[in-house]
Amino acid sequence: MPLAVAALSHAPSFGNVDPGGETFAEINTAIDEVRAFVAEYDPDLVVVFGPDHFNGQLYSLITPWLIGAVAEGVGDYGTTAGPLPVDGDAARAFHAAVLGEGVDIGRSERMKVDHGVVQPLDFVFGKNFTQPIVPVFVNAIGLPLSPMRRVRLMGEAFGRAARAMDKKVLFLASGGISHSPPIPRWDGAPGTVHERLVAYAPSPEERQEREQMIVKGIQAIADGKAPSDPLNEEWDTLVLDVLRSGDLSPVDGWENGWFMAEGGSAAHEMRSWIAAYAALSTAGPYRLAVDHYWAVEKWGAGFAIQAAVTA
């Protein structure tokens, strides 16, 4: 069977902060293109690789990656909340198969995911979607991180496992390219931050207050009233070009410190894209069906949307 990828950036600012000009309309048109691509591909199952922002995955048990056999969305930034339509049998089969490939991966029967996993699902399938999924948390901000080569190998293991199933599988990737939001780090942080990184469980009111604060911060950047690290369009293009090429061997040489220095504090979210394209590559050459990129200065983020399928 063929394999396919839908890869979309996510952003708390989506629908909350005007990126200016025609950008928001163009992004929505590109999402429509991916939605049509997925409808034509008609997957039986969607494996979604995505990060978390210390909402569902905390230092109480941080892992490089994790499969959810049962999962719920925390519902941040208006994304689908509550139990998600996870195909538990498929998730457990992927868990066994990826472990069998020699890639150590955990499994959760009570997984929580935030907008890093859910927002692109909402983009493609609509709020409160029913499409069977297998969520895979890919750590992008909980330092230290695994070598990038391991991300490629993890993705390839998923690809071979998918090809062994009697299902048409779509790999959905979620993550921004160059962007550098403030992220709490464990090393050197005070005890109050350590507690937040281990046991964050806000009330709905506390979560809403925090989200409003973050959106206000992005709006201040958009209004020119707050600084933001500059985007790195050249680096964004370099990363996207490797994914477009079908030759993922350069990924092995991407050192973690270089990746963050060039792309910013949250650039490692692109690990989800690398895993998805590595999975797709196991079925042979592929072609891009959707391919868009914006350097959205007012969001302080490189934003891309792609879709690809086995050639």
Side-chain angles (χ1 to χ4, degrees), residues 168-193:
K168 187 184 286 187
V169 177
L170 170 74
F171 291 97
L172 193 155
S174 171
I177 318 178
S178 64
H179 63 308
S180 197
I183 294 175
R185 302 299 189 192
W186 183 273
D187 291 348
T192 51
V193 174

Side-chain angles (χ1 to χ4, degrees), residues 66-71 84-93 95 106-111 133-135:
L66 179 72
I67 296 174
V70 178
L84 299 176
V86 176
D87 185 332
D89 289 341
R92 296 178 191 105
H95 183 219
R107 188 179 92 209
S108 173
E109 297 285 343
R110 190 176 293 176
M111 188 179 192
I133 65 167
V134 172

Side-chain angles (χ1 to χ4, degrees), residues 7-13 27 49-53 114-117 119-120 123 138 140-141 148 172-181 183 231-232 235-237 239-240 243 254 259-260 262-274 292-296 299-305:
L8 303 95
S9 296
H10 60 259
S13 48
I27 288 173
F49 294 108
D52 185 82
H53 307 79
D114 71 5
H115 69 282
V117 166
Q119 192 177 59
F123 285 160
V138 180
I141 61 174
M148 198 65 79
L172 193 155
S174 171
I177 318 178
S178 64
H179 63 308
S180 197
I183 294 175
L231 304 182
N232 190 340
W235 182 82
D236 289 348
T237 300
V239 172
L240 292 174
L243 300 179
W254 289 349
F259 209 81
M260 194 176 299
E262 294 291 329
S265 63
H268 276 287
E269 289 184 348
M270 289 304 286
R271 288 170 172 250
S272 298
W273 288 50
I274 291 166
H292 299 281
Y293 166 78
W294 302 263
V296 189
W299 286 355
F303 200 98
I305 294 176

Side-chain angles (χ1 to χ4, degrees), residues 67-139:
I67 296 174
V70 178
E72 65 177 78
V74 302
D76 58 338
Y77 301 105
T79 55
T80 294
L84 299 176
V86 176
D87 185 332
D89 289 341
R92 296 178 191 105
F94 270 112
H95 183 219
V98 173
L99 282 175
E101 290 264 354
V103 177
D104 297 330
I105 188 167
R107 188 179 92 209
S108 173
E109 297 285 343
R110 190 176 293 176
M111 188 179 192
K112 288 186 177 181
V113 295
D114 71 5
H115 69 282
V117 166
V118 179
Q119 192 177 59
L121 286 165
D122 285 349
F123 285 160
V124 176
F125 298 108
K127 284 267 296 184
N128 301 311
F129 54 88
T130 58
Q131 171 71 42
I133 65 167
V134 172
V136 181
F137 160 66
V138 180
N139 183 29

